[in-house]
Amino acid sequence: GDSVTQMEGPVTLSEEAFLTINCTYTATGYPSLFWYVQYPGEGLQLLLKATKADDKGSNKGFEATYRKETTSFHLEKGSVQVSDSAVYFCALTPNNAGNMLTFGGGTRLMVKP
Amino acid sequence: DGGITQSPKYLFRKEGQNVTLSCEQNLNHDAMYWYRQDPGQGLRLIYYSQIVNDFQKGDIAEGYSVSREKKESFPLTVTSAQKNPTAFYLCASRPPGQQNSPLHFGNGTRLTVT
């Protein structure tokens, strides 16, 4: 079945450091890919998405590129802030499953001043 | 503002009692979902509903039940048959028919059963 694998956390960085959170997936065809963010005590919010190969999703300084050849959708940010501390989830929707979403295990990011 | 409201934010119950978690949305979305989140783990799908009066089991439906009598509401009952009910429960909704449309989440209910 479809699955999403993320790097295990926590990831601890100093403010202004470069961030990469790895995400790889297994799915047939061309799924849509998403990154969600969860701040403490809250639900998940969509951060960015990409719907076809080589698309780049971006939002709030975060970017991720849909790489079909490596089945990856790594999240990057050039300079993190303390306010970026949260849990980040990679997710996919298979191209034949309409509304179903499969999540990775989440990666906790902690940014220190 | 449109959104999803989950209540209460924190819920405490004794073992052996059924408990119902509320989820209401005013986004006019057809599809609604319940996920369970355990510490350090991802989200696991409990139940989902694509339309009023219809719902399907997700990956971990045992010990849970739902109803979808109204488009706006999708309550989840955690029954005494659920062996490990303590968790963070998230409700979500999604517009119909679009593969790449994102889920909208509520702020969750943290259930503690002792």
Side-chain angles (χ1 to χ4, degrees):
Chain A
D2 300 321
S3 65
V4 177
T5 302
Q6 294 180 232
M7 61 189 293
E8 288 195 20
V11 174
T12 304
L13 296 173
S14 297
E15 208 165 21
E16 298 184 4
F18 184 85
L19 168 71
T20 300
I21 299 178
N22 290 338
C23 170
T24 57
Y25 67 89
T26 301
T28 55
Y30 292 85
S32 291
L33 302 174
F34 305 84
W35 277 101
Y36 284 83
V37 59
Q38 184 181 33
Y39 298 103
E42 297 184 9
L44 277 68
Q45 304 172 27
L46 178 68
L47 182 60
L48 53 84
K49 68 179 185 183
T51 59
K52 60 183 187 295
D54 300 324
D55 267 2
K56 177 186 285 188
S58 62
N59 185 27
K60 299 181 182 179
F62 291 89
E63 293 183 340
T65 301
Y66 189 141
R67 301 286 188 199
K68 179 67 175 173
E69 63 277 13
T70 55
T71 61
S72 64
F73 193 53
H74 304 322
L75 183 69
E76 297 182 335
K77 187 174 185 182
S79 176
V80 293
Q81 306 300 312
V82 172
S83 58
D84 293 326
S85 298
V87 180
Y88 293 81
F89 291 91
C90 187
L92 67 81
T93 295
N95 63 356
N96 62 350
N99 289 311
M100 300 311 299
L101 206 66
T102 298
F103 286 90
T107 302
R108 181 176 298 279
L109 170 65
M110 296 170 26
V111 181
K112 297 184 176 180
Chain B
D1 287 341
I4 299 179
T5 301
Q6 290 187 244
S7 60
K9 189 171 179 66
Y10 299 97
L11 192 53
F12 298 88
R13 280 294 183 271
K14 295 290 188 184
E15 193 173 327
Q17 293 179 333
N18 292 354
V19 58
T20 298
L21 282 60
S22 169
C23 177
E24 303 280 332
Q25 56 102 354
N26 60 4
L27 298 166
N28 201 33
H29 289 171
D30 286 323
M32 296 186 74
Y33 307 80
W34 274 105
Y35 287 91
R36 171 183 171 134
Q37 185 178 20
D38 293 286
Q41 298 189 31
L43 278 67
R44 293 182 290 170
L45 182 64
I46 304 172
Y47 267 98
Y48 64 101
S49 169
Q50 307 267 32
I51 200 167
V52 174
N53 292 323
D54 185 52
F55 49 82
Q56 286 81 40
K57 293 181 179 180
D59 300 321
I60 55 165
E62 185 175 351
Y64 298 98
S65 65
V66 294
S67 62
R68 188 82 188 280
E69 298 176 0
K70 299 185 301 181
K71 188 175 189 177
E72 301 80 13
S73 179
F74 191 40
L76 173 74
T77 296
V78 184
T79 75
S80 57
Q82 168 49 235
K83 292 181 170 47
N84 296 296
T86 295
F88 189 51
Y89 290 88
L90 286 163
C91 180
S93 70
R94 195 177 198 182
Q98 298 179 34
Q99 171 193 344
N100 56 12
S101 57
L103 290 181
H104 296 250
F105 282 87
N107 280 335
T109 292
R110 186 166 299 281
L111 173 64
T112 302
V113 176
T114 58

